[in-house]
């Protein structure tokens, strides 16, 4: 009877059966029997999910409560007690070294500085970048052991 089955019995193999199978049976990539070890894609996917979930929570809280941090008050407190915040000051000062490096690269690109002078200025900039936290840590008695590890790691 050739109606519903298009002339093929279920017991017989379709002539194009080998072309119709796009998958083969195998263990899951996440099982312990699998020899798969490249989980970079899975970890990237997990990070993306975490970021999107927290972005959703941030946006929901922002819509409900608004921006609750008074930036002027925070900056005023940092400026008023600037010597009580050496970690914050060092992080902010690190941006100055980045800007100096950027300005040096732009000067080298325009031809204002020779490559030898540019190299020397880069070495000086990097030297100050390394010495600045060390000098602050050595001279500042209020820095705790935790702050010490933050600056050097």
């Amino acid at each position: 009877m050739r109606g519903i089955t298009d002339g093929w019995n279920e017991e017989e193999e379709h002539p194009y059966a080998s072309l119709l199978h796009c998958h083969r049976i195998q263990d899951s990539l996440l099982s312990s029997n699998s020899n798969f070890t490249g989980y970079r894609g899975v970890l990237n996917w997990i990070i993306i999910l975490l970021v999107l979930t927290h972005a959703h929570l941030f946006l929901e809280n922002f819509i409900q409560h608004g921006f609750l941090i008074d930036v002027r008050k925070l900056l005023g407190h940092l400026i008023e007690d600037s010597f009580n915040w050496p970690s914050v000051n060092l992080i902010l000062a690190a941006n100055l070294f980045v800007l100096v490096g950027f300005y040096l690269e732009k000067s080298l690109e325009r031809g204002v500085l020779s490559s030898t002078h540019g190299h020397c200025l880069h070495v000086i900039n990097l030297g100050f970048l390394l010495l600045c936290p060390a000098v602050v840590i050595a001279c500042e008695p209020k820095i705790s052991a935790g702050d010490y590890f933050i600056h050097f790691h």
Side-chain angles (χ1 to χ4, degrees), residues 2 7 9 17 24-25 34 46 53 55 62 74 80 90 118 127 139:
R2 294 186 177 218
N9 292 332
R24 58 186 162 93
I25 297 174
S34 171
I46 289 170
T53 302
F62 184 74
L74 178 68
E80 176 183 298
L90 285 174
C139 295

Side-chain angles (χ1 to χ4, degrees), residues 123-141:
V123 169
I124 292 169
N125 185 33
L126 290 175
F128 279 130
L129 177 63
L130 291 174
L131 288 177
C132 182
V135 168
V136 170
I137 290 170
C139 295
E140 183 64 40

